[in-house]
Amino acid sequence: MTFLDQAGTALAHRHFRLVWLAAIVNSAGSLMYLAAIGWVTAITTGSPLQVTLVSFAGLVPLLVVSPVAGALGDRFSRRKVLLVTVSLQAAVSAGLATAVSLDLATYPVLLVFAVLSGVCGSLTGLVFQALIPRLVPPEALRNAIVLNSMQFNISRALGPTIAGVLLDVTGPELVFWINVVTFVPTLLALRVLPETGAAFRPAAKRSVFGDIVAGARYAGRAPGLRAVMTTAFFLALLVGPIQWLAPIVATDGLGVGASSYGLLLGVYGAGAVVAGIVLLSLDQTIPYRRLATGGLLGVSVGMAVLATARSLAQGLVGMTLLGVAYIVVSTSVNSAMQAQVDDRVRGRVVSLWLMVFGGAAPIGLLLQGSIAELVDIRWVLAGVSVLTGAALLLLRFGGQLALLDHNGVALTTADPRTVGVVSEGRVSAGAGRPVADGSAA
């Protein structure tokens, strides 16, 4: 099957196609915003640690907001929740653009807006991922997940590159206002989606907190989902920070300006697009464990290339390799998670996935950024290369990567001791696939 045939599997469905196209525009604007806020912080403070703290402030809300967002995404219409959260994102973005235009964007102001953007973005990102499986039939799910990752990385290739040019030519104001406008297509696409209702009806008298606990127990008793979370943790901790450390790589590591900085982020996204095309073209039966193994190895090599870069050209090669490898791992792990989870608890399991990133990525960013304040950024990248290789060996020989291909339905039928039915915060043995709403599937 050709790439176009594979891509058409999910895009043949109108509602997915509308949301996917709108998401490309919206993601491009969001990545322009991230590139601009990182660059503005870098050139106004000259401090790797302060650049790190702004990025850290935008990531931390994932850890706090994700559990609540996951429960809301399962309890209520995901379409309606998204209409609210995307509108809030647009309002926050307009506030930041106004502050920048009026020359009020001091470092504390940037920190405040980074937190607000992180809160709204966490709500939107989680519910959006949980919505995707509702827009396509089961046989097109893996294809839709790859395309969803691909749209973000098309935007990652375009957004920062455009932002870098605009930062040089017009300054940051226009970049922030363009981001505001890019929310419009997503709001229009959401308005035409059919109403699907809640994914499940919560058990009587159970609170949102009870739903969160039930979802966590569901994931904790599924070996495949535990493997997903473990792999995601290492990926977020070690590799996730690179896109936020890019301003430091550009200014301190390579000594280049805004346009070259945008290009570094752009080729990272372009590499991810290439990876998405390859994943769509490959046989869909290729095990997730093989894709994750190859991706982690590629990340280690890409970090090593970037660590030894002495020219922009070599830096571009390293960032491209990282873009390819990162998306192979993240897409494979995400697909493995979506394939194993019951839709009635999908929002809460996705929230755990984002909590892993919300916890591990900021920690990794803070550690790497703090070390970069003391030593050359190249030493930080070299250390990450070594640690990623060690994580690959640990996951591979510890059996975690093999569990990415685990069949959750087959497991619960064959061994009911490992997964129970979660109800009102209690766990009991039961046959059938585990659910978190007090019933068995």
Side-chain angles (χ1 to χ4, degrees):
M1 185 176 290
T2 67
F3 161 69
L4 291 177
D5 291 334
Q6 288 281 14
T9 303
L11 291 176
H13 300 275
R14 178 175 177 268
H15 294 131
F16 175 82
R17 185 170 64 251
L18 288 174
V19 170
W20 188 78
L21 291 172
I24 291 177
V25 177
N26 198 175
S27 296
S30 297
L31 288 160
M32 290 176 69
Y33 151 78
L34 288 174
I37 197 170
W39 184 256
V40 169
T41 307
I43 61 174
T44 55
T45 68
S47 168
L49 182 58
Q50 287 184 299
V51 173
T52 298
L53 289 175
V54 166
S55 301
F56 182 82
L59 287 174
V60 166
L62 274 173
L63 186 61
V64 180
V65 174
S66 291
V68 176
L72 293 177
D74 287 339
R75 277 182 173 238
F76 303 104
S77 161
R78 291 165 187 165
R79 169 184 167 274
K80 290 180 179 178
V81 173
L82 282 172
L83 282 169
V84 173
T85 60
V86 173
S87 298
L88 288 174
Q89 274 190 285
V92 170
S93 298
L96 177 57
T98 301
V100 172
S101 299
L102 297 177
D103 201 24
L104 300 175
T106 60
Y107 184 69
V109 169
L110 292 175
L111 278 173
V112 169
F113 274 103
V115 172
L116 293 174
S117 296
V119 170
C120 297
S122 298
L123 290 168
T124 297
L126 188 150
V127 181
F128 183 82
Q129 286 201 51
L131 175 71
I132 293 299
R134 289 290 191 95
L135 304 180
V136 295
E139 63 271 16
L141 178 58
R142 181 170 177 175
N143 178 264
I145 292 169
V146 173
L147 282 169
N148 186 43
S149 296
M150 192 173 173
Q151 66 82 11
F152 182 78
N153 288 293
I154 290 172
S155 303
R156 199 199 299 269
L158 296 175
T161 304
I162 296 171
V165 173
L166 291 177
L167 286 169
D168 259 347
V169 175
T170 69
E173 295 89 349
L174 182 59
V175 177
F176 288 115
W177 280 114
I178 289 175
N179 177 43
V180 176
V181 175
T182 60
F183 288 100
V184 174
T186 298
L187 290 170
L188 293 176
L190 289 170
R191 287 184 64 85
V192 302
L193 290 184
E195 189 56 68
T196 55
F200 86 113
R201 292 184 177 182
K205 298 182 180 180
R206 193 166 70 195
S207 65
V208 170
F209 178 75
D211 289 343
I212 294 170
V213 172
R217 290 185 174 181
Y218 170 94
R221 284 162 175 76
L225 293 180
R226 290 202 305 271
V228 163
M229 301 304 170
T230 302
T231 306
F233 172 81
F234 282 113
L235 186 67
L237 181 72
L238 297 173
V239 192
I242 188 60
Q243 57 189 313
W244 290 283
L245 292 175
I248 304 171
V249 175
T251 55
D252 295 356
L254 298 173
V256 296
S259 295
S260 296
Y261 157 64
L263 190 58
L264 282 170
L265 287 176
V267 297
Y268 182 80
V273 172
V274 171
I277 293 173
V278 172
L279 288 173
L280 285 172
S281 303
L282 288 175
D283 187 340
Q284 295 294 292
T285 61
I286 293 178
Y288 294 125
R289 64 181 181 275
R290 293 183 181 175
L291 293 172
T293 298
L296 287 171
L297 179 60
V299 163
S300 183
V301 173
M303 281 290 182
V305 172
L306 193 59
T308 58
R310 292 296 183 273
S311 66
L312 177 61
Q314 188 178 347
L316 293 174
V317 171
M319 288 295 281
T320 303
L321 287 174
L322 285 173
V324 170
Y326 185 84
I327 200 62
V328 168
V329 183
S330 62
T331 300
S332 300
V333 175
N334 193 355
S335 297
M337 173 186 67
Q338 296 279 18
Q340 295 184 40
V341 68
D342 188 289
D343 189 61
R344 287 167 289 183
V345 71
R346 191 180 303 277
R348 283 161 285 171
V349 173
V350 171
S351 77
L352 291 175
W353 155 275
L354 291 180
M355 280 182 67
V356 169
F357 279 92
I363 291 172
L365 177 61
L366 194 59
L367 288 173
Q368 294 177 36
S370 298
I371 296 172
E373 185 84 2
L374 304 174
V375 303
D376 194 305
I377 186 65
R378 294 186 182 91
W379 286 107
V380 178
L381 299 174
V384 171
S385 174
V386 173
L387 290 174
T388 303
L392 170 58
L393 293 176
L394 179 64
L395 293 169
R396 179 70 175 175
F397 293 105
Q400 293 299 299
L401 293 182
L403 288 172
L404 297 180
D405 297 297
H406 194 81
N407 186 323
V409 177
L411 167 72
T412 57
T413 301
D415 189 3
R417 296 171 298 172
T418 59
V419 186
V421 176
V422 182
S423 178
E424 299 291 353
R426 300 187 303 274
V427 182
S428 59
R433 189 170 188 166
V435 297
D437 60 352
S439 62

